[in-house]
């Protein structure tokens, strides 16, 4: 059944589109070309690794001097995302640019575009998807459902939202949140007013708390010619609002999987996006799907594609932005389970590698971050297996072997 789904995903390249391709020219960046990335976190690092594999050269810009991309890229610029002069310097070193983090200053992308640089996805896509209100308004405008929400600009909006959407609610900053940061659960108006005041009346979004049965995700890629490739629908389990586990394929009916895929395709077309993106969705008991958010970049829930698919989400990103033919999303295994490895308060030295790798179903990825701060994404592992149940039970066994210890131990053994 999985093989059929994967084939369908590949077949979703519309045959008419394929015929038209012969007549159209892509703007392609040849192998050896220079890719510029705004952001050098783990997503930038994995993108850079894929770029190296394909013979491209990488420069990136990140505010941190030891960003995970540092050890993989050819050149780095340490600067803030709103430092336009540095952003343009990155532009001058690049044949094509992208970003790995949606909370960068959109004016930087606009400045690059105005200086004649090609950035994918475009500033329009970034602007729409980095702002929770614009994002949800866009999704609704194309006939796709979102959670009930109310934009909060003034104290009066809080009262209106409490009447229209009600409680319990999640108050989220409209801009700048990620991994559950910038959101708080509220049960009464007084509490909402306190939060709004404590954030100096920053624009917020008031979202109804949804009682979903599952969270779903789908990685999708669209190229410069409008071709779209979708990966299988994933089931995403969050702990404390941070992704913990991704299960592929999601344990849902074909009908729900088709609906989710159709939503992603429609968003791809209507947003006119070029590049990889992820749609996060809530599945309700009545099988209705609500879109939660759109991430205009490779996504944590797509890390399984590195080990489980013919072309990873990172390779697809390069193919899309460099004007190469899109790759196959086909899975090479029946099922995969990805588990995030987060830091805790115990130390910065990772233990357990030997035990984890003793199981040949497990692929381990560590991002080279020096400090394993609590809840920081330090790495992930992916279990490949014939069945989701087996993959899940191996994942649970593997999870028990992860361990962070004091870093002074590392200094001693050096
Ligand atoms: P982030 O940008 O931090 O990923 P999200 O809006 O995706 O922000 O929220 C993170 C997680 O919090 C979601 O994956 C989901 O588990 C939970 N969550 C967010 N919004 C809602 C909601 N309206 N109802 C229920 N759970 C939610
Ligand atoms: Mg999210």
């Amino acid at each position: 059944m999985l093989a059929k789904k994967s084939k369908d995903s590949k077949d979703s390249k519309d045959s008419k589109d394929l015929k038209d391709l012969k007549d159209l020219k892509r703007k392609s960046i040849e192998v050896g070309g220079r890719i510029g990335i705004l952001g050098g976190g783990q997503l930038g690092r994995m993108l850079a690794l894929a770029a190296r594999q394909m013979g491209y050269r990488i420069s990136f810009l990140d505010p941190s001097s030891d960003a995970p991309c540092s050890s993989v890229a050819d050149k780095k610029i340490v600067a803030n995302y709103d430092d336009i002069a540095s952003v343009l310097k990155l532009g001058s070193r690049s044949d094509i640019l992208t970003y790995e983090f949606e909370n960068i200053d959109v004016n930087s992308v606009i400045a690059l575009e105005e200086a004649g640089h090609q950035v994918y996805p475009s500033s329009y896509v970034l602007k729409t998807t980095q702002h929770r209100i614009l994002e949800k308004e866009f999704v609704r405008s194309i006939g796709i459902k979102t959670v009930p929400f109310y934009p909060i600009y003034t104290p009066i909006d809080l009262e209106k939202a409490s009447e229209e959407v009600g409680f319990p609610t999640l108050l989220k900053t409209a801009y700048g949140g990620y991994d559950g940061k910038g959101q708080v659960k509220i049960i009464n108006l007084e509490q909402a007013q306190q939060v709004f005041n404590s954030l100096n009346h920053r624009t917020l979004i008031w979202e109804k708390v949804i009682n979903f049965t599952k969270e779903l995700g789908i990685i999708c890629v669209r190229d410069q010619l409008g071709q779209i490739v979708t990966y299988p629908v994933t089931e995403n389990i969050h702990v404390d609002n941070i992704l913990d586990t991704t299960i592929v394929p999601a344990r849902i009916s074909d009908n729900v999987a088709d609906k989710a895929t159709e939503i992603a395709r429609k968003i791809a077309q209507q947003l006119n996006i070029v590049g990889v993106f992820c749609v996060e969705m809530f599945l309700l008991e009545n099988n209705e799907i609500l879109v939660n958010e759109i991430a205009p970049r490779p996504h944590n829930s797509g890390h399984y594609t590195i080990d489980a698919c013919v072309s990873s989400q990172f390779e697809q990103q390069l193919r899309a932005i460099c004007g190469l033919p899109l790759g196959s999303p086909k899975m090479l295994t029946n099922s995969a389970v990805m588990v995030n490895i987060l830091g805790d308060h115990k130390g910065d030295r990772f233990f357990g590698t030997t035990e984890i790798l003793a199981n040949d179903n497990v692929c381990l990825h560590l991002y080279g971050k020096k400090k394993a701060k609590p809840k920081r994404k330090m790495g992930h592992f992916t279990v490949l297996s014939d069945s989701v149940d087996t993959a899940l039970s191996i994942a649970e066994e593997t999870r028990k072997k992860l361990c962070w210890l004091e870093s002074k131990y590392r200094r001693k053994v050096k």
Side-chain angles (χ1 to χ4, degrees):
M1 186 184 109
L2 182 87
K4 179 182 171 294
K5 264 193 195 159
S6 303
K7 183 173 175 293
D8 287 348
S9 307
K10 179 68 178 173
D11 285 350
S12 66
K13 280 186 180 181
D14 190 70
S15 55
K16 181 177 169 293
D17 287 355
L18 280 174
K19 247 187 271 147
D20 292 348
L21 278 181
K22 289 183 198 138
D23 308 324
L24 287 166
K25 278 220 171 104
R26 299 165 198 265
K27 182 185 182 298
S28 60
I29 307 299
E30 293 190 0
V31 170
R34 302 165 306 160
I35 316 277
I37 312 174
L38 288 160
Q42 64 269 16
L43 296 171
R45 177 184 168 99
M46 289 182 266
L47 184 61
L49 285 167
R52 277 216 177 274
Q53 185 184 323
M54 292 168 73
Y56 288 105
R57 287 173 290 157
I58 291 283
S59 299
F60 74 98
L61 178 148
D62 193 283
S64 160
S65 61
D66 63 350
C69 199
S70 304
S71 50
V72 183
D74 298 278
K75 288 183 182 164
K76 79 173 160 193
I77 297 174
V78 180
N80 288 330
Y81 297 120
D82 59 357
D83 175 346
I84 302 286
S86 298
V87 167
L88 290 175
K89 192 163 148 195
L90 179 74
S92 69
R93 290 181 182 177
S94 311
D95 298 316
I96 196 96
L97 293 111
T98 187
Y99 41 87
E100 56 106 55
F101 184 49
E102 65 268 37
N103 292 328
I104 56 171
D105 190 340
V106 72
N107 290 317
S108 298
V109 174
I110 292 171
L112 284 165
E113 288 171 341
E114 284 178 353
H117 300 291
Q118 194 83 56
V119 188
Y120 290 128
S122 67
S123 59
Y124 163 74
V125 172
L126 179 64
K127 196 173 174 184
T128 309
T129 54
Q130 73 176 185
H131 195 283
R132 293 187 195 278
I133 298 169
L134 294 182
E135 179 178 57
K136 286 193 170 61
E137 282 170 351
F138 161 76
V139 171
R140 283 191 178 178
S141 76
I142 60 168
I144 296 171
K145 288 192 174 151
T146 70
V147 299
F149 71 94
Y150 202 95
I152 306 292
Y153 304 105
T154 66
I156 295 184
D157 293 329
L158 293 168
E159 283 168 37
K160 289 188 191 152
S162 70
E163 283 158 22
E164 206 166 291
V165 184
F167 298 96
T169 187
L170 276 170
L171 271 184
K172 302 182 183 175
T173 51
Y175 172 86
Y178 67 98
D179 284 345
K181 293 185 178 78
Q183 52 178 283
V184 48
K185 197 167 175 179
I186 302 289
I187 52 166
N188 59 44
L189 189 55
E190 200 190 350
Q191 220 186 347
Q193 280 156 345
Q194 276 166 9
V195 168
F196 192 48
N197 290 339
S198 70
L199 291 170
N200 297 325
H201 292 197
R202 213 172 137 173
T203 304
L204 303 177
I205 185 167
W206 179 297
E207 274 187 33
K208 187 181 164 87
V209 175
I210 298 298
N211 221 344
F212 49 78
T213 53
K214 279 183 197 303
E215 282 191 74
L216 305 177
I218 182 160
I219 304 289
C220 184
V221 57
R222 182 171 175 274
D223 73 8
Q224 296 168 17
L225 305 181
Q227 277 203 101
I228 296 169
V229 167
T230 54
Y231 284 84
V233 179
T234 65
E235 188 177 329
N236 298 335
I237 299 170
H238 291 76
V239 174
D240 295 336
N241 295 344
I242 303 177
L243 183 66
D244 179 81
T245 307
T246 291
I247 302 166
V248 212
R251 294 164 295 179
I252 50 175
S253 67
D254 284 353
N255 185 28
V256 170
D258 289 347
K259 265 205 287 188
T261 307
E262 224 14 75
I263 286 173
R265 291 181 65 86
K266 192 165 184 187
I267 289 174
Q269 280 155 356
Q270 299 292 323
L271 201 52
N272 199 17
I273 189 169
V274 173
V276 168
F277 67 99
C278 175
V279 187
E280 299 178 12
M281 294 169 269
F282 298 134
L283 177 64
L284 308 186
E285 202 151 18
N286 62 3
N287 277 348
E288 198 172 35
I289 294 174
L290 306 180
V291 165
N292 172 30
E293 62 175 350
I294 305 164
R297 51 167 173 79
H299 189 264
N300 195 168
S301 66
H303 291 356
Y304 78 92
T305 61
I306 299 175
D307 301 301
C309 297
V310 174
S311 294
S312 76
Q313 62 168 347
F314 300 102
E315 183 182 324
Q316 291 283 25
Q317 176 75 336
L318 291 165
R319 287 173 178 246
I321 68 172
C322 291
L324 301 171
L326 294 181
S328 167
K330 190 173 177 215
M331 283 179 74
L332 302 166
T333 171
N334 278 349
S335 52
V337 168
M338 189 281 320
V339 174
N340 268 335
I341 301 174
L342 303 185
D344 56 24
H345 56 276
K346 293 187 184 117
D348 300 325
R349 172 130 202 240
F350 183 68
F351 269 77
T353 310
T354 312
E355 292 81 356
I356 290 167
L357 294 181
N359 188 320
D360 57 15
N361 294 63
V362 182
C363 310
L364 179 65
H365 299 253
L366 294 168
Y367 308 145
K369 296 182 184 176
K370 291 199 181 101
K371 291 272 164 218
K373 290 181 205 151
K375 300 195 176 167
R376 190 177 196 198
K377 289 177 178 168
M378 302 298 293
H380 70 270
F381 67 83
T382 302
V383 182
L384 307 176
S385 180
D386 286 344
S387 78
V388 162
D389 285 347
T390 311
L392 273 172
S393 77
I394 296 173
E396 284 321 304
E397 281 311 304
T398 306
R399 197 194 281 276
K400 289 181 200 151
K401 295 170 184 158
L402 305 174
C403 164
W404 293 98
L405 290 177
E406 291 274 357
S407 57
K408 65 181 179 211
Y409 181 73
R410 167 183 277 187
R411 285 200 292 273
K412 260 192 223 161
V413 291
K414 259 186 179 173

